[in-house]
Amino acid sequence: MAEIFAVRVPKEVREKMRRFRKVNWSEVVKEAILNKLRELEELERMRRAAEAMDRIREEMLRSYGPSDYDSADEIMR
């Protein structure tokens, strides 16, 4: 079931929108919201992944101590 979500726009914007009556402005707003949600969810997933990597790194340091291993050197080989 869909819910109603009202959006206020400046009068000048509404007047411009009226010039393009064939545009489904509700659909335009819905797609913009969905795109922003996808973007925010991806950022949230990246943040959680970075936090998990930090936790793993901290656990490795606690368990095995510091290391002079440089993964960049391995990648360059």
Side-chain angles (χ1 to χ4, degrees), residues 55-73:
R55 283 191 302 274
I56 292 168
R57 188 178 305 108
E58 289 170 10
E59 180 61 32
M60 295 296 287
L61 279 171
R62 278 194 298 276
S63 297
Y64 301 103
S67 169
D68 60 353
Y69 176 77
D70 186 356
S71 60
D73 285 341

Side-chain angles (χ1 to χ4, degrees), residues 4 8 11 15 22 30 39-40 56 61 63 70-71 75:
I4 295 174
R8 290 186 182 267
K11 185 177 181 178
E15 289 169 1
K22 290 188 178 186
K30 183 172 78 172
E39 175 187 324
L40 292 170
I56 292 168
L61 279 171
S63 297
D70 186 356
S71 60
I75 293 169

Side-chain angles (χ1 to χ4, degrees), residues 3-69:
E3 293 194 21
I4 295 174
F5 177 78
V7 177
R8 290 186 182 267
V9 296
K11 185 177 181 178
E12 305 81 44
V13 171
R14 183 65 180 132
E15 289 169 1
K16 289 180 181 182
M17 290 168 65
R18 284 192 182 105
R19 292 189 353 229
F20 302 98
R21 291 187 186 275
K22 290 188 178 186
V23 174
N24 182 341
W25 292 108
S26 179
E27 191 65 27
V28 170
V29 170
K30 183 172 78 172
E31 283 302 314
I33 291 169
L34 289 172
N35 287 337
K36 188 62 176 181
L37 285 171
R38 281 189 285 271
E39 175 187 324
L40 292 170
E41 287 169 342
E42 180 63 20
L43 288 171
E44 186 176 314
R45 279 191 294 276
M46 290 189 300
R47 180 190 53 77
R48 284 195 313 260
E51 288 172 352
M53 290 182 347
D54 288 344
R55 283 191 302 274
I56 292 168
R57 188 178 305 108
E58 289 170 10
E59 180 61 32
M60 295 296 287
L61 279 171
R62 278 194 298 276
S63 297
Y64 301 103
S67 169
D68 60 353
Y69 176 77

